[in-house]
């Protein structure tokens, strides 16, 4: 098997992974094929801090293998597993991270950096639409939780 064929299979696997994520579910495969090459695979050991609350963010991560804890100090906010994303707000806005992310297990993650992502959404606005839908859904859910707390 040539190296080129191996790269193609990896591209297909990345496209399938992206398609399985709620944030990209409605994005056509040909557009995801433009996004897939931006995914940089990284390995992390259990206990590694991926990023800390307050750091400037410029990328998001997709969990390919492992479990990530999202937390503020010692307070756990979420435990994320395979085919989940975190840090996605940093793709759209390079502000400080609102929480920390730490590997609960050994992890394989895909990183997507902000600058190449911006360049892609200039030509592929469908990708931005997926983000907007997910962010709106999260905002509605947060508003609903806030209303429940007030009651």
């Amino acid at each position: 098997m040539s190296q080129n064929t191996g790269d193609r299979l990896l591209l297909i696997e990345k496209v399938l992974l992206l398609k399985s994520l709620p944030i990209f579910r409605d994005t056509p495969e040909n557009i995801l094929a433009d996004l897939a090459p931006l995914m940089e695979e990284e390995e992390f050991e259990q206990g590694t801090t991926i990023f800390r609350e307050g750091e400037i963010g410029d990328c998001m991560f997709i969990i390919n293998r492992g479990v990530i804890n999202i937390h503020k100090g010692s307070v756990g906010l979420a435990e994320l597993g395979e085919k989940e994303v975190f840090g996605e707000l940093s793709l759209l806005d390079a502000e400080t991270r609102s929480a920390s992310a730490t590997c609960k297990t050994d992890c394989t993650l895909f990183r997507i950096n902000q600058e190449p992502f911006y360049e892609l959404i200039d030509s592929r606005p469908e990708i931005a639409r997926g983000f907007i839908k997910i962010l709106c859904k999260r905002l509605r859910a947060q508003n609903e939780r806030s209303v429940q707390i007030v009651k």
Side-chain angles (χ1 to χ4, degrees), residues 44-50 67-69 101-105 107 109:
F44 296 94
E45 293 182 2
Q46 179 181 355
T48 302
T49 299
I50 307 300
V67 178
I68 297 288
N69 281 328
T102 303
C103 298
K104 184 174 182 178
T105 65
C107 294
L109 308 176

Side-chain angles (χ1 to χ4, degrees), residues 7 13 36 59 63-64 84 86 94 105 113 118-119 140 146:
D7 289 346
E13 291 168 354
C59 64
I63 303 170
N64 191 44
E84 292 192 270
F86 62 99
T105 65
N113 291 313
Y118 272 175
E119 291 170 11
R140 283 189 192 98
S146 297

Side-chain angles (χ1 to χ4, degrees), residues 5-143:
T5 304
D7 289 346
R8 247 187 240 128
L9 290 177
L10 186 55
L11 177 68
I12 291 168
E13 291 168 354
K14 287 180 177 180
V15 168
L16 291 174
L17 174 61
L18 289 169
K19 191 69 175 174
S20 73
L21 304 172
I23 205 163
F24 297 121
R25 187 168 291 134
D26 297 328
T27 306
E29 288 82 359
N30 64 315
I31 294 171
L32 294 178
D34 291 340
L35 178 59
L38 303 182
M39 297 167 61
E40 299 174 13
E41 187 172 353
E42 297 185 33
E43 301 278 333
F44 296 94
E45 293 182 2
Q46 179 181 355
T48 302
T49 299
I50 307 300
F51 56 74
R52 287 183 170 73
E53 177 182 0
E55 291 179 348
I56 298 293
D58 65 352
C59 64
M60 80 165 217
F61 295 90
I62 301 166
I63 303 170
N64 191 44
R65 180 185 57 83
V67 178
I68 297 288
N69 281 328
I70 306 297
H71 55 95
K72 283 182 145 315
S74 61
V75 177
L77 302 175
E79 189 172 281
L80 305 175
E82 291 180 11
K83 296 185 180 178
E84 292 192 270
V85 300
F86 62 99
E88 64 277 11
L89 289 179
S90 292
L91 274 188
L92 303 176
D93 188 10
E95 291 294 322
T96 58
R97 301 280 189 181
S98 60
S100 298
T102 303
C103 298
K104 184 174 182 178
T105 65
D106 290 347
C107 294
T108 304
L109 308 176
F110 286 107
R111 172 197 298 258
I112 299 177
N113 291 313
Q114 184 187 65
E115 193 56 40
F117 183 78
Y118 272 175
E119 291 170 11
L120 181 60
I121 62 174
D122 280 345
S123 62
R124 296 295 200 176
E126 301 89 335
I127 291 174
R129 285 188 204 120
F131 264 83
I132 292 167
K133 281 183 179 180
I134 291 295
L135 296 176
C136 288
K137 183 178 178 181
R138 287 184 181 178
L139 182 57
R140 283 189 192 98
Q142 183 62 41
N143 287 343

